[in-house]
Amino acid sequence: MTRFDTVGEDAVVTAETGGYVGRITLDRPEAMNTFSTELATDLDAALRAHESDDEVRAIVIDGSGDAFSAGIDLTEHAERDGGDAYEEWVASMEEPFATIAGMGTPVIAAAHGHAAANGLGLVAACDLAVAADGTMFGATAPKVGLFCMGPAVPLMDAVVRKRCLELLLTGELIDADTALEWGLINATAPAGEHVDAAMEYAETIASKSPTAIQRGKRAYYEMEGMDYAEALEYSNEQFAGLCTTADAEAGIEAFLGGEPLDADEWSDI
Ligand SMILES: C/C=C/C(=O)SCCNC(=O)CCNC(=O)[C@H](O)C(C)(C)COP(=O)(O)OP(=O)(O)OC[C@H]1O[C@@H](n2cnc3c(N)ncnc32)[C@H](O)[C@@H]1OP(=O)(O)O
């Protein structure tokens, strides 16, 4: 592999090519490869550098250290003030999703450890993805008073389209295990315990920020009807709006302090 010289020496991603394949590694292992503004900008530059190299026919994105990525770097949140500043900030974080969608070169995620929030979004935004055994995925933002607005955009059509068409076109019945495998349902439960299992989901949702959950759910359905670029722009506006809520202020501070908020500590909607 040779290093891409268009990606700076002090970048927080590394970018190399070997033969026809490029490899981009998120390289902030001390910060779980969280998306700082710098990491997002460097990732975007590395993607563009590969795309403009005719030799590169496919790209792999992985992460150094123990995690693929734990999402946006929440320590940057406090450095901003006001909706516009947050919107500009989050727009840079989602730029690689738009870049991947606009590229001809296929991009493959290779995840390990955790792929959370924007890290989950990056996995979904890639054309293909593989994961090491034991990798955990999550749209974890509501536990800090935020919502994975941008990651929702690539996520919403990454999961279901082929399974959906199979049901619609064949007209056949599928059993609960198949429905689980396909992602039509979230869990199965022993006979008679399905309501308890559903209640467990409800309690888990109820333990997160109600403001983030309600705004997030509404935004999700709004974005479903939009094209990709429009949805990413809308997601940035919505995320910036969430950044200034009392729940985000308190939730992020509590998370970074090592004591995440409980169900009864969030603000009323
Ligand atoms: C539109 C886009 C939306 C977003 O991306 S918003 C960002 C939302 N991000 C999250 O919700 C992810 C938050 N992180 C987590 O949920 C967890 O982490 C993981 C599930 C990824 C991993 O859990 P575990 O292995 O138990 O690690 P740990 O003890 O929670 O974290 C290790 C250290 O890393 C810091 N950290 C984790 N994620 C972030 C982050 N996103 N920004 C800044 N710091 C982060 C923690 O505080 C802690 O630090 P210390 O070792 O000093 O206690």
Side-chain angles (χ1 to χ4, degrees), residues 12 31 40 54 70 108 119 145 166 190 193 216 227 238 266:
V12 287
D54 292 341
I108 304 159
E166 188 167 339
E193 292 175 27
D227 72 31
Q238 294 296 313
W266 299 110

Side-chain angles (χ1 to χ4, degrees), residues 32 34 70-75 90 94 114 116-118 140-141 143 146-147 149-151 239 255-256:
M32 298 183 83
T34 43
I72 286 180
D73 186 344
L74 293 168
T75 62
V90 72
E94 317 299 20
H114 284 95
N118 234 43
T140 43
K143 76 175 176 188
L146 297 173
F147 192 83
M149 297 286 186
F239 188 81
F255 174 78
L256 293 176

Side-chain angles (χ1 to χ4, degrees), residues 172-226:
E172 296 294 324
L173 295 174
I174 58 169
D175 62 20
D177 287 341
T178 307
L180 179 64
E181 189 195 322
W182 285 14
L184 176 63
I185 59 174
N186 294 93
T188 57
E193 292 175 27
H194 59 292
V195 176
D196 289 345
M199 290 300 287
E200 210 171 302
Y201 275 110
E203 295 291 349
T204 302
I205 293 167
S207 73
K208 307 300 189 314
S209 158
T211 303
I213 293 290
Q214 294 220 3
R215 288 203 203 176
K217 185 190 150 174
R218 284 183 208 289
Y220 183 94
Y221 283 97
E222 287 290 330
M223 292 190 294
E224 258 193 339
M226 297 178 187

Side-chain angles (χ1 to χ4, degrees), residues 116-136:
N118 234 43
L120 169 71
L122 180 58
V123 169
C126 287
D127 304 297
L128 299 176
V130 297
D133 287 342
T135 307
M136 299 295 284

Side-chain angles (χ1 to χ4, degrees), residues 71-104:
I72 286 180
D73 186 344
L74 293 168
T75 62
E76 284 195 359
H77 175 268
E79 294 162 19
R80 272 154 196 82
D81 191 16
D84 289 350
Y86 287 115
E87 201 173 325
E88 199 177 305
W89 177 53
V90 72
S92 69
M93 303 295 174
E94 317 299 20
E95 192 61 31
F97 301 173
T99 298
I100 291 169
M103 286 169 56

